[in-house]
Amino acid sequence: MTSMNEAFASVRALAEAVRARVAGVTDDVEVRVERADQVSYSIEGRALIPELECDAWRVAMRARRGGRLAIAATTGSSVDDAAGALLRSLSAAQPDALEDFAALHETPPDGRGWDDAAGALIDRPAQVRSLAAMMAEAARSAAPNPDLVLEGGVKVGRTWRAMATARGATVLSGSTVGSAFLMVDGNEWESLAGTAAPTEQGVRALGRGLVGGLPPREVTVAEWLGGPKEVTVIIDPRLLESLLRALFLERVGLDRVVSGLSSAAVGDVVGAPIFSLFDDSGAAGSLAGAIVDDEGTLGQRKTVVERGVLRTLLADRRSAKVAWGGASTGNGFRLPLMAEDASEAPVRVGMGHLDVPEGNTPRLKLAPGRTVLLTDLLGVHSANKATGAFNNPVQGGVALEDGVPVARLKAGAWSATGNFHAMLRALSGVSAERLHTGTATLPWVAAPVRLS
Amino acid sequence: MLNSHDAPVPRGDAAVRPALEAALRYARTKVPYADALYERVFKCEVHQLASGQRMVKPASVKGAVQIRLVGEGGRQVGVKAGDAGIETLRAAIDRGLDALAAEPADPGFGLAAIPNPSRERYGVAPTDDPRDVDPTPRLEALARAVDALAAEGATEGVRVVPELWAWEQVEEKWVADTDGIFKTQVMTIGFVQVVFRAVRGEVQARTRVRFGEVGGLSQYIGSDGRFAPEVARELAAQRDVAVRLLDARTMTADELAGLTHYVLHKSALVFIHEGLGHPIEADIVRSGNSAIVAPGGEARVSPLGSSVVRIVDGSAPDGDGNPMADRGFGTEFIDDEGVEVRSAELVSGGHIVGMMHSRETAHRYGVAPTGNGFSELGDRRIVRMRNTVLCPERGDHWVESLDELLRGVGLGVVLHGSLGGAVSKEGMSSSTQYGYLVRDGRLTGEIILPGNFTALTAGCLKSVDGYAGPVDSHGVGFCGKGSQLRRVTEGGPTFVRLGASPWVNLTFEG
């Protein structure tokens, strides 16, 4: 079992050793080391499948020499491998506007994302298994149909990080993750996620609530709405978060503006007056909050949208330098695309913890009459990032009659079409309740969507 | 053509083999059976973002080990370790034993035998091995060539902004078990993705094109900095389409209602992978999450497709649909359990005739493993697709040209490209990049904006009624399953024709 001090010492030692190894041949260097453990149990039908990960190391490195930027990444705890890869990359360094890396300040190891119970649970896999079994059992016990097909799982993980640059201290942080996810018959799903460990009460409530809350009847668009139609729908916070990260980021990321791919400017009206959005890359207790972002800028809370008006574009160090000649907003993240590992991914502008203030309407009352609550769309990643338009099959949702769930949306029989940017401007309601998704705290919202 | 004769030995084999064997000896003192997989990847890469920022990474290294411990009564657990050091492996085994103690007996669990147990070495030696020959000049040449190509596509008031992501990686793996199996594989894989964004004022359009194959980047760009001719043609064509899309339109409601046929270009066949491949993966079948195969292995839907539908997963096929052992972005010689990859016929004559198996699912269903057990860098081995392709039998339904295929089509649309797909139990969804209208059997010049093609798994193949052109595993992609990604392709003849039916649908944004 790895002690906290031992773990921090090990990531610090690797980061500082790599830094020292390349100090004489670089102008500046940035080394980010992660060491992680994880235990998960997947629910696959009746089976519970264990999966453990121990001592997974990831090293992400950048160096500057003569106005050029070099990048390398390794896994493993070998200083030779990491420093060797970085030294080799110097010959391939490219001209870059990034003039320096962050100057880091001495702080105690940061634990804003650490939960002791979650950290300890990793060393007790039998308890994690038990949580997964409880969740599945709770779902089955609430189901009228014994042939219910379940998939999902429970996961806990812990990560220790060290970030070092040529200037200043080495910043240490530790975080944990706990999550549970359950899907019924490949369509309806529920989840919980955060830095804390899942609890028995939490996973039982998830399983019971998901299955017990599903109306037995299912409907098609024709049966419920009389055919394809634009209606004001209620959007689940998790779908709202997916759309914000997939589409709204393309509008408010300063790197997109610098590239000419977004024309957004502070002062633009981007939402209805009832909509405000905060980004907090330093949020405590969030999987999207940390003491520093992936290039060492302090995590911080920004007002992105205030009553519908764009107040801040989100920036990493490079885009901030190019566009403003100024400071990053702490939104430089190694966001992997497709087959990239996070340590390999270039730093891109991303979102931290998202926070939308609550409104004053109960969530199921946001849209009167016949409408639907949309939990998820299939393949949001394929939506049109250039325009904000989407057109995807519905995955999970219920038909509502004056706020009362009366039927499930028949799997495979519904699709939703809209433009997320237009929807934000046309929001007609924000719920009084909010959900902590693990990476965001968001309400349910009401907006026009075409259903077919 | 590459071949697997004189397969190379992975670097560091002299150190890795004893470490794995020592770990397995240790595991054998605790459990009746264990196996180990060590995967290591050396990657060189270039990224060019829309901002113009170019990043060249000549050397990234990653690796991990997966150890599977099988206890008495079919109890089993998998553990991922960060490296192949013996101390790390022993610690991982100890942690796995803790989890194994919590597992209930599973009398149905077993692992099918590994065929050809005595053969140890597989793969092909890299040419211009990027571990020895600096790949930077080739990576930089790729970026310059893409820039030049984009610049040539600019027209009055229109900018073409390119994005590039390309890599070449040397993949090495070791598979060993407590029964004495020891196998290794060395593969080089090359990948190029270019996105062209056409920008005119506030209006944007984009296309994406991918190439991926066994072998390095030299197959795409020469040492003279010029693209291979077929690559240059394809890139220029997609660049020009991006510009044309600035003036494209959606189909009207009347046109959609009146459609008689969909014709899918080989770049738009992701539904074969998403809608028909995943539900025939034996682990998904067993869990009850397949809409077309019941957990016992019997088809829920029969026939699944029309009589001309035949789907095969394996190494990439040639133009006639016959497998080529060493081609295809999803191709390997052995899977991550040491099973030699063989083609699995999934659908023939419209009927489901087989499934894709790992050692575990093969044992459960009492069949031979098909070499579909794969892991993403030390993760648990699960059933994964490789190259999943429509390979029809020859006949009148398979013609040479698109013109022939379009005869008899009243109102149709030829759909090209996809930016990705997703699958649910009942069906799938994939974006389309663009399309062309067909009227009265003739392709018109009317270009159609990106849309969304959806198909219900249980019936979408029933209206497949014709093909044109040679088979090609054209659709290069990365398949996500659970939290794992794997390189794959999907494909088929150049064009696949489907009659309009309630099982498929096309919708547009806005």
Side-chain angles (χ1 to χ4, degrees):
Chain A
M1 192 182 309
T2 308
S3 76
M4 187 76 95
N5 287 340
E6 181 195 343
F8 277 132
S10 67
V11 291
R12 175 197 284 271
L14 179 53
E16 294 181 349
V18 173
R19 179 177 65 183
R21 194 75 71 86
V22 304
V25 293
T26 57
D27 300 331
D28 201 352
V29 63
E30 174 192 276
V31 185
R32 185 174 187 273
V33 176
E34 281 189 357
R35 179 181 178 184
D37 297 324
Q38 186 172 294
V39 174
S40 66
Y41 280 83
S42 301
I43 299 164
E44 295 182 7
R46 293 273 169 185
L48 285 179
I49 311 292
E51 195 162 5
L52 284 70
E53 178 175 317
C54 348
D55 251 355
W57 291 76
R58 294 181 183 85
V59 186
M61 299 163 283
R62 300 194 293 181
R64 290 186 57 259
R65 184 167 69 180
R68 290 171 170 258
L69 182 68
I71 303 170
T74 58
T75 62
S77 55
S78 162
V79 177
D80 289 342
D81 282 356
L86 185 56
L87 288 169
R88 189 169 168 178
S89 75
L90 288 172
S91 65
Q94 300 292 311
D96 197 279
L98 189 64
E99 291 186 350
D100 52 25
F101 299 122
L104 302 174
H105 301 286
E106 185 72 47
T107 59
D110 185 73
R112 75 186 62 193
W114 184 271
D115 178 83
D116 283 336
L121 199 54
I122 291 153
D123 298 314
R124 297 195 285 273
Q127 287 189 26
V128 183
R129 185 182 207 288
S130 175
L131 289 167
M134 284 174 197
M135 182 168 69
E137 178 51 36
R140 291 201 175 90
S141 66
N145 171 11
D147 296 329
L148 192 72
V149 175
L150 298 177
E151 59 184 309
V154 172
K155 178 172 78 175
V156 290
R158 64 188 172 206
T159 303
W160 295 277
R161 293 181 195 83
M163 165 74 85
T165 64
R167 290 167 299 132
T170 299
V171 173
L172 300 172
S173 62
S175 62
T176 52
V177 58
S179 66
F181 170 82
L182 194 63
M183 179 177 270
V184 180
D185 289 335
N187 197 46
E188 307 290 340
W189 60 272
E190 186 55 84
S191 67
L192 57 88
T195 57
T199 63
E200 293 182 14
Q201 186 182 14
V203 297
R204 280 201 175 104
L206 189 158
R208 201 168 40 237
L210 170 61
V211 175
L214 290 178
R217 179 184 159 208
E218 61 179 19
V219 293
T220 63
V221 181
E223 290 163 347
W224 190 241
L225 300 174
K229 190 175 186 181
E230 180 171 299
V231 295
T232 297
V233 305
I234 302 172
I235 294 172
D236 185 278
R238 285 157 303 194
L239 176 55
L240 177 61
E241 181 178 5
S242 295
L243 293 167
L244 286 167
R245 291 187 188 277
L247 299 176
F248 195 59
L249 174 63
E250 296 299 314
R251 185 155 209 191
V252 300
L254 185 59
D255 55 348
R256 280 73 162 178
V257 174
V258 167
S259 307
L261 300 177
S262 168
S263 59
V266 169
D268 286 355
V269 174
V270 296
I274 56 172
F275 178 75
S276 294
L277 172 68
F278 302 90
D279 176 284
D280 189 352
S281 50
S286 171
L287 300 174
I291 182 171
V292 291
D293 68 4
D294 290 349
E295 49 182 0
T297 305
L298 281 174
Q300 54 203 273
R301 183 177 171 90
K302 287 86 53 182
T303 304
V304 183
V305 180
E306 183 181 25
R307 295 180 186 185
V309 178
L310 183 61
R311 293 298 184 206
T312 311
L313 293 163
L314 301 176
D316 58 3
R317 292 177 67 81
R318 183 178 187 279
S319 60
K321 175 70 186 172
V322 171
W324 300 334
S328 161
T329 60
N331 289 86
F333 295 106
R334 291 181 177 270
L335 298 173
L337 298 178
M338 292 177 293
E340 288 179 327
D341 187 82
S343 59
E344 298 176 291
V347 172
R348 301 177 167 103
V349 172
M351 288 172 157
H353 186 87
L354 299 176
D355 184 342
V356 172
E358 66 274 18
N360 50 22
T361 308
R363 63 190 168 102
L364 294 182
K365 299 293 184 187
L366 284 170
R370 283 202 161 190
T371 186
V372 300
L373 166 64
L374 296 180
T375 311
D376 200 4
L377 299 178
L378 199 59
V380 170
H381 63 280
S382 65
N384 191 328
K385 293 179 188 302
T387 64
F390 63 89
N391 174 27
N392 301 78
V394 173
Q395 184 164 42
V398 292
L400 299 171
E401 180 91 65
D402 286 326
V404 178
V406 294
R408 287 173 287 127
L409 307 186
K410 183 176 171 61
W414 290 70
S415 68
T417 303
N419 182 296
F420 186 59
H421 302 321
M423 282 166 58
L424 279 183
R425 289 192 297 270
L427 283 188
S428 58
V430 175
S431 74
E433 309 93 332
R434 294 198 300 168
L435 181 73
H436 192 300
T437 67
T439 48
T441 309
L442 301 174
W444 285 254
V445 297
V449 168
R450 181 172 176 77
L451 297 167
S452 57
Chain B
M1 180 76 72
L2 300 167
N3 64 64
S4 188
H5 301 307
D6 305 320
V9 176
R11 293 190 178 177
D13 185 63
V16 172
R17 181 169 189 158
L20 293 179
E21 289 176 341
L24 289 168
R25 278 196 301 276
Y26 175 67
R28 186 65 186 84
T29 65
K30 310 287 185 183
V31 293
Y33 178 84
D35 69 354
L37 162 72
Y38 176 38
E39 296 175 279
R40 189 173 62 196
V41 177
F42 178 95
K43 185 180 191 182
C44 60
E45 181 174 25
V46 58
H47 268 105
Q48 181 156 302
L49 308 185
S51 63
Q53 185 187 6
R54 183 183 298 172
M55 290 158 281
V56 177
K57 294 182 273 185
S60 293
V61 183
K62 55 186 178 181
V65 179
Q66 164 77 197
I67 296 175
R68 174 165 48 194
L69 304 171
V70 181
E72 300 289 351
R75 294 170 175 85
Q76 60 100 17
V77 66
V79 194
K80 177 177 179 175
D83 64 56
I86 182 61
E87 291 309 316
T88 303
L89 296 179
R90 285 177 72 114
I93 290 168
D94 288 341
R95 177 169 251 162
L97 291 169
D98 289 344
L100 193 68
E103 286 298 298
D106 180 2
F109 177 84
L111 296 170
I114 298 174
N116 200 5
S118 60
R119 181 171 175 187
E120 292 194 346
R121 307 296 185 186
Y122 298 82
V124 287
T127 52
D128 295 334
D129 192 330
R131 294 171 295 183
D132 302 323
V133 179
D134 184 4
T136 306
R138 195 180 302 278
L139 296 169
E140 290 180 331
L142 254 176
R144 283 195 301 271
V146 168
D147 275 346
L149 201 70
E152 290 166 12
T155 60
E156 181 80 29
V158 176
R159 289 187 298 135
V160 178
V161 180
E163 296 173 43
L164 168 68
W165 181 33
W167 48 256
E168 174 177 335
Q169 61 186 27
V170 181
E171 302 176 352
E172 298 171 307
K173 70 180 169 193
W174 289 256
V175 179
D177 75 2
T178 50
D179 290 344
I181 290 286
F182 182 84
K183 291 175 181 286
T184 65
Q185 178 188 277
V186 179
M187 296 279 288
T188 306
I189 303 291
F191 171 79
V192 177
Q193 172 179 294
V194 179
V195 174
F196 293 109
R197 293 179 190 255
V199 183
R200 184 176 61 204
E202 293 288 304
V203 184
Q204 288 185 33
R206 67 171 174 172
T207 53
R208 186 187 74 189
V209 59
R210 285 177 172 172
F211 306 90
E213 187 51 273
V214 175
L217 291 173
S218 59
Q219 62 195 310
Y220 304 116
I221 188 156
S223 53
D224 59 356
R226 293 175 185 273
F227 284 119
E230 66 276 19
V231 173
R233 273 195 300 275
E234 176 70 8
L235 287 171
Q238 296 302 318
R239 172 202 65 197
D240 294 344
V241 168
V243 175
R244 290 192 63 199
L245 280 171
L246 291 170
D247 297 311
R249 66 174 179 92
T250 60
M251 291 176 68
T252 65
D254 285 346
E255 286 169 341
L256 287 168
L259 270 179
T260 60
H261 290 85
Y262 300 90
V263 177
L264 304 181
H265 181 254
K266 61 186 180 182
S267 59
L269 291 176
V270 67
F271 86 109
I272 296 295
H273 172 98
E274 296 289 0
L276 287 311
H278 281 302
I280 309 183
E281 292 171 333
D283 53 352
I284 286 184
V285 168
R286 181 174 170 253
S287 72
N289 271 308
S290 170
I292 57 176
V293 187
E298 63 279 9
R300 292 187 201 264
V301 182
S302 190
L304 178 68
S306 69
S307 61
V308 299
V309 173
R310 179 174 177 267
I311 301 175
V312 177
D313 178 83
S315 54
D318 64 16
D320 291 325
N322 303 309
M324 301 182 288
D326 49 12
R327 301 300 286 167
F329 189 61
T331 293
E332 307 215 17
F333 295 100
I334 55 172
D335 72 3
D336 292 348
E337 299 184 296
V339 176
E340 292 175 355
V341 165
R342 64 183 181 86
S343 289
E345 190 174 44
L346 309 176
V347 178
S348 180
H351 293 272
I352 297 168
V353 295
M355 292 193 284
M356 292 169 272
H357 287 284
S358 64
R359 291 182 66 198
E360 180 186 348
T361 64
H363 173 83
R364 289 194 188 272
Y365 287 98
V367 298
T370 52
N372 287 86
F374 288 100
S375 143
E376 184 188 8
L377 206 66
D379 287 340
R380 180 167 69 98
R381 286 158 287 189
I382 55 179
V383 180
R384 305 307 308 271
M385 280 174 268
R386 298 154 309 189
N387 306 282
T388 312
V389 183
L390 265 169
C391 296
E393 305 285 357
R394 283 286 172 191
D396 292 344
H397 53 271
W398 192 356
V399 297
E400 292 297 315
S401 69
L402 179 60
D403 286 348
E404 293 172 86
L405 190 68
L406 295 182
R407 283 178 198 150
V409 173
L411 179 61
V413 60
V414 180
L415 298 171
H416 287 255
S418 174
L419 296 177
V423 62
S424 67
K425 183 179 176 184
E426 305 295 332
M428 62 72 60
S429 155
S430 73
S431 58
T432 60
Q433 292 205 53
Y434 58 95
Y436 294 101
L437 273 187
V438 178
R439 293 183 194 277
D440 300 325
R442 291 181 182 279
L443 196 63
T444 72
E446 295 173 85
I447 189 165
I448 302 298
L449 281 166
N452 200 300
F453 181 76
T454 55
L456 291 174
T457 304
C460 62
L461 291 177
K462 289 189 165 97
S463 63
V464 172
D465 63 3
Y467 307 100
V471 169
D472 183 9
S473 57
H474 180 88
V476 168
F478 303 92
C479 170
K481 182 175 175 182
S483 57
Q484 300 188 31
L485 284 172
R486 168 163 169 71
R487 53 182 167 80
V488 294
T489 69
E490 71 274 339
T494 312
F495 293 99
V496 177
R497 189 178 69 194
L498 294 79
S501 79
W503 307 99
V504 293
N505 193 29
L506 180 66
T507 54
F508 290 92
E509 300 162 348

